[in-house]
Amino acid sequence: MAEYIYLNSRDELLRIDVPSIVYFEAEGNYTRIVLANGFEGLVCINLGKMEKLLSAKLQERAQRFARIGKRHIINLNYILQITPLKQTLILRDRDRKSVV
């Protein structure tokens, strides 16, 4: 069963497949969404509101996401490596790697 959320970018409505979300990143009053297929979109909502929206729309399924710091919400299913001493987190899907 497909699971989607609908978000407004500045000029269009985006249908986002929730399991493919790798992470969200704050950019001022906007939020960048990065998907496993390489798509990146910018939506007109700040990260705090995005966190509340995920909780409201996904309810208990929102637990797959975790807020880490002021700038990121990550999908826990994509964690590859955490290095506390270097304060790095590597997220991975197939051949893509994202360092947060």
Side-chain angles (χ1 to χ4, degrees), residues 15-29:
R15 184 181 80 159
I16 305 294
D17 180 36
V18 174
S20 72
I21 298 169
V22 179
Y23 67 91
F24 298 92
E25 182 175 22
E27 290 197 15
N29 289 329

Side-chain angles (χ1 to χ4, degrees), residues 67-78:
R67 177 95 183 240
I68 56 167
K70 293 180 181 180
R71 295 199 56 209
H72 295 94
I73 297 173
I74 63 165
N75 185 333
L76 299 172
N77 296 325
Y78 289 97

Side-chain angles (χ1 to χ4, degrees), residues 6-21:
Y6 296 87
L7 301 167
N8 285 321
S9 74
R10 200 178 93 137
D11 301 320
E12 52 197 6
L13 179 66
L14 302 174
R15 184 181 80 159
I16 305 294
D17 180 36
V18 174
S20 72
I21 298 169

Side-chain angles (χ1 to χ4, degrees), residues 26-40:
E27 290 197 15
N29 289 329
Y30 296 88
T31 298
R32 178 167 306 285
I33 302 168
V34 177
L35 302 183
N37 65 6
F39 174 83
E40 293 188 22

Side-chain angles (χ1 to χ4, degrees), residues 4 6 11 17 19-20 45 49 52 58 70 80 84 93 95:
Y4 298 101
Y6 296 87
D11 301 320
D17 180 36
S20 72
I45 183 172
K49 289 182 182 177
K52 290 177 184 174
L58 302 177
K70 293 180 181 180
L80 174 67
D93 179 51
D95 41 319

